[in-house]
PDB file of all heavy atoms in Angstrom:
ATOM      1  N   ARG A 220      21.613   8.489   2.918  1.00  0.00           N
ATOM      2  CA  ARG A 220      22.066   7.099   2.959  1.00  0.00           C
ATOM      3  C   ARG A 220      21.247   6.248   2.002  1.00  0.00           C
ATOM      4  O   ARG A 220      20.152   6.601   1.599  1.00  0.00           O
ATOM      5  CB  ARG A 220      21.931   6.542   4.381  1.00  0.00           C
ATOM      6  CG  ARG A 220      22.820   7.213   5.410  1.00  0.00           C
ATOM      7  CD  ARG A 220      24.289   6.967   5.115  1.00  0.00           C
ATOM      8  NE  ARG A 220      25.160   7.444   6.168  1.00  0.00           N
ATOM      9  CZ  ARG A 220      25.590   6.706   7.183  1.00  0.00           C
ATOM     10  NH1 ARG A 220      25.204   5.440   7.281  1.00  0.00           N
ATOM     11  NH2 ARG A 220      26.391   7.208   8.088  1.00  0.00           N
ATOM     12  N   GLY A 221      21.790   5.082   1.672  1.00  0.00           N
ATOM     13  CA  GLY A 221      21.072   4.147   0.827  1.00  0.00           C
ATOM     14  C   GLY A 221      21.332   4.372  -0.650  1.00  0.00           C
ATOM     15  O   GLY A 221      22.132   5.210  -1.070  1.00  0.00           O
ATOM     16  N   MET A 222      20.615   3.619  -1.454  1.00  0.00           N
ATOM     17  CA  MET A 222      20.801   3.636  -2.895  1.00  0.00           C
ATOM     18  C   MET A 222      20.479   5.006  -3.493  1.00  0.00           C
ATOM     19  O   MET A 222      19.469   5.623  -3.165  1.00  0.00           O
ATOM     20  CB  MET A 222      19.881   2.578  -3.508  1.00  0.00           C
ATOM     21  CG  MET A 222      19.824   2.603  -5.010  1.00  0.00           C
ATOM     22  SD  MET A 222      18.521   1.540  -5.630  1.00  0.00           S
ATOM     23  CE  MET A 222      18.340   2.224  -7.293  1.00  0.00           C
ATOM     24  N   PRO A 223      21.322   5.509  -4.412  1.00  0.00           N
ATOM     25  CA  PRO A 223      20.989   6.755  -5.120  1.00  0.00           C
ATOM     26  C   PRO A 223      19.752   6.552  -6.001  1.00  0.00           C
ATOM     27  O   PRO A 223      19.577   5.492  -6.608  1.00  0.00           O
ATOM     28  CB  PRO A 223      22.230   7.030  -5.977  1.00  0.00           C
ATOM     29  CG  PRO A 223      23.316   6.198  -5.393  1.00  0.00           C
ATOM     30  CD  PRO A 223      22.653   4.996  -4.795  1.00  0.00           C
ATOM     31  N   LEU A 224      18.920   7.549  -6.065  1.00  0.00           N
ATOM     32  CA  LEU A 224      17.717   7.488  -6.889  1.00  0.00           C
ATOM     33  C   LEU A 224      18.055   7.932  -8.312  1.00  0.00           C
ATOM     34  O   LEU A 224      18.527   9.054  -8.528  1.00  0.00           O
ATOM     35  CB  LEU A 224      16.634   8.387  -6.296  1.00  0.00           C
ATOM     36  CG  LEU A 224      16.244   8.072  -4.839  1.00  0.00           C
ATOM     37  CD1 LEU A 224      15.166   9.037  -4.360  1.00  0.00           C
ATOM     38  CD2 LEU A 224      15.789   6.624  -4.692  1.00  0.00           C
ATOM     39  N   LYS A 225      17.814   7.048  -9.266  1.00  0.00           N
ATOM     40  CA  LYS A 225      18.173   7.296 -10.656  1.00  0.00           C
ATOM     41  C   LYS A 225      16.921   7.301 -11.537  1.00  0.00           C
ATOM     42  O   LYS A 225      15.920   6.661 -11.218  1.00  0.00           O
ATOM     43  CB  LYS A 225      19.146   6.222 -11.141  1.00  0.00           C
ATOM     44  CG  LYS A 225      20.459   6.194 -10.369  1.00  0.00           C
ATOM     45  CD  LYS A 225      21.378   5.093 -10.900  1.00  0.00           C
ATOM     46  CE  LYS A 225      22.693   5.070 -10.136  1.00  0.00           C
ATOM     47  NZ  LYS A 225      23.605   4.009 -10.643  1.00  0.00           N
ATOM     48  N   PRO A 226      16.975   7.993 -12.656  1.00  0.00           N
ATOM     49  CA  PRO A 226      15.843   7.971 -13.580  1.00  0.00           C
ATOM     50  C   PRO A 226      15.527   6.533 -14.007  1.00  0.00           C
ATOM     51  O   PRO A 226      16.429   5.752 -14.300  1.00  0.00           O
ATOM     52  CB  PRO A 226      16.344   8.798 -14.768  1.00  0.00           C
ATOM     53  CG  PRO A 226      17.427   9.644 -14.226  1.00  0.00           C
ATOM     54  CD  PRO A 226      18.081   8.847 -13.150  1.00  0.00           C
ATOM     55  N   GLY A 227      14.246   6.203 -14.009  1.00  0.00           N
ATOM     56  CA  GLY A 227      13.816   4.871 -14.407  1.00  0.00           C
ATOM     57  C   GLY A 227      13.537   3.936 -13.255  1.00  0.00           C
ATOM     58  O   GLY A 227      12.982   2.842 -13.459  1.00  0.00           O
ATOM     59  N   LEU A 228      13.893   4.343 -12.033  1.00  0.00           N
ATOM     60  CA  LEU A 228      13.552   3.524 -10.874  1.00  0.00           C
ATOM     61  C   LEU A 228      12.063   3.663 -10.596  1.00  0.00           C
ATOM     62  O   LEU A 228      11.523   4.776 -10.528  1.00  0.00           O
ATOM     63  CB  LEU A 228      14.357   3.971  -9.652  1.00  0.00           C
ATOM     64  CG  LEU A 228      14.122   3.169  -8.371  1.00  0.00           C
ATOM     65  CD1 LEU A 228      14.611   1.729  -8.523  1.00  0.00           C
ATOM     66  CD2 LEU A 228      14.809   3.847  -7.184  1.00  0.00           C
ATOM     67  N   VAL A 229      11.372   2.533 -10.426  1.00  0.00           N
ATOM     68  CA  VAL A 229       9.940   2.541 -10.105  1.00  0.00           C
ATOM     69  C   VAL A 229       9.760   1.832  -8.775  1.00  0.00           C
ATOM     70  O   VAL A 229      10.178   0.677  -8.613  1.00  0.00           O
ATOM     71  CB  VAL A 229       9.097   1.857 -11.203  1.00  0.00           C
ATOM     72  CG1 VAL A 229       7.614   1.918 -10.844  1.00  0.00           C
ATOM     73  CG2 VAL A 229       9.341   2.530 -12.555  1.00  0.00           C
ATOM     74  N   ILE A 230       9.155   2.529  -7.829  1.00  0.00           N
ATOM     75  CA  ILE A 230       9.006   1.997  -6.479  1.00  0.00           C
ATOM     76  C   ILE A 230       7.599   2.244  -5.956  1.00  0.00           C
ATOM     77  O   ILE A 230       6.918   3.175  -6.373  1.00  0.00           O
ATOM     78  CB  ILE A 230      10.016   2.639  -5.504  1.00  0.00           C
ATOM     79  CG1 ILE A 230       9.941   4.163  -5.555  1.00  0.00           C
ATOM     80  CG2 ILE A 230      11.432   2.144  -5.796  1.00  0.00           C
ATOM     81  CD1 ILE A 230      10.837   4.877  -4.549  1.00  0.00           C
ATOM     82  N   ALA A 231       7.185   1.378  -5.039  1.00  0.00           N
ATOM     83  CA  ALA A 231       5.985   1.632  -4.243  1.00  0.00           C
ATOM     84  C   ALA A 231       6.437   2.267  -2.941  1.00  0.00           C
ATOM     85  O   ALA A 231       7.302   1.732  -2.243  1.00  0.00           O
ATOM     86  CB  ALA A 231       5.235   0.331  -3.969  1.00  0.00           C
ATOM     87  N   ILE A 232       5.878   3.415  -2.633  1.00  0.00           N
ATOM     88  CA  ILE A 232       6.139   4.101  -1.370  1.00  0.00           C
ATOM     89  C   ILE A 232       4.904   3.903  -0.513  1.00  0.00           C
ATOM     90  O   ILE A 232       3.792   4.234  -0.943  1.00  0.00           O
ATOM     91  CB  ILE A 232       6.428   5.594  -1.602  1.00  0.00           C
ATOM     92  CG1 ILE A 232       7.655   5.757  -2.519  1.00  0.00           C
ATOM     93  CG2 ILE A 232       6.638   6.328  -0.288  1.00  0.00           C
ATOM     94  CD1 ILE A 232       7.924   7.191  -2.931  1.00  0.00           C
ATOM     95  N   GLU A 233       5.082   3.355   0.719  1.00  0.00           N
ATOM     96  CA  GLU A 233       3.875   2.997   1.477  1.00  0.00           C
ATOM     97  C   GLU A 233       4.037   3.163   2.989  1.00  0.00           C
ATOM     98  O   GLU A 233       4.312   2.208   3.709  1.00  0.00           O
ATOM     99  CB  GLU A 233       3.410   1.581   1.143  1.00  0.00           C
ATOM    100  CG  GLU A 233       4.422   0.470   1.235  1.00  0.00           C
ATOM    101  CD  GLU A 233       3.781  -0.884   0.958  1.00  0.00           C
ATOM    102  OE1 GLU A 233       2.689  -1.169   1.492  1.00  0.00           O
ATOM    103  OE2 GLU A 233       4.368  -1.655   0.182  1.00  0.00           O
ATOM    104  N   PRO A 234       3.810   4.376   3.473  1.00  0.00           N
ATOM    105  CA  PRO A 234       3.775   4.571   4.919  1.00  0.00           C
ATOM    106  C   PRO A 234       2.552   3.902   5.551  1.00  0.00           C
ATOM    107  O   PRO A 234       1.450   3.947   4.997  1.00  0.00           O
ATOM    108  CB  PRO A 234       3.708   6.092   5.076  1.00  0.00           C
ATOM    109  CG  PRO A 234       3.173   6.592   3.781  1.00  0.00           C
ATOM    110  CD  PRO A 234       3.630   5.633   2.730  1.00  0.00           C
TER     111      PRO A 234
END
Side-chain angles (χ1 to χ4, degrees):
R220 295 295 188 93
M222 172 190 161
L224 303 180
K225 298 180 180 180
L228 182 66
V229 181
I230 53 176
I232 301 174
E233 52 176 315

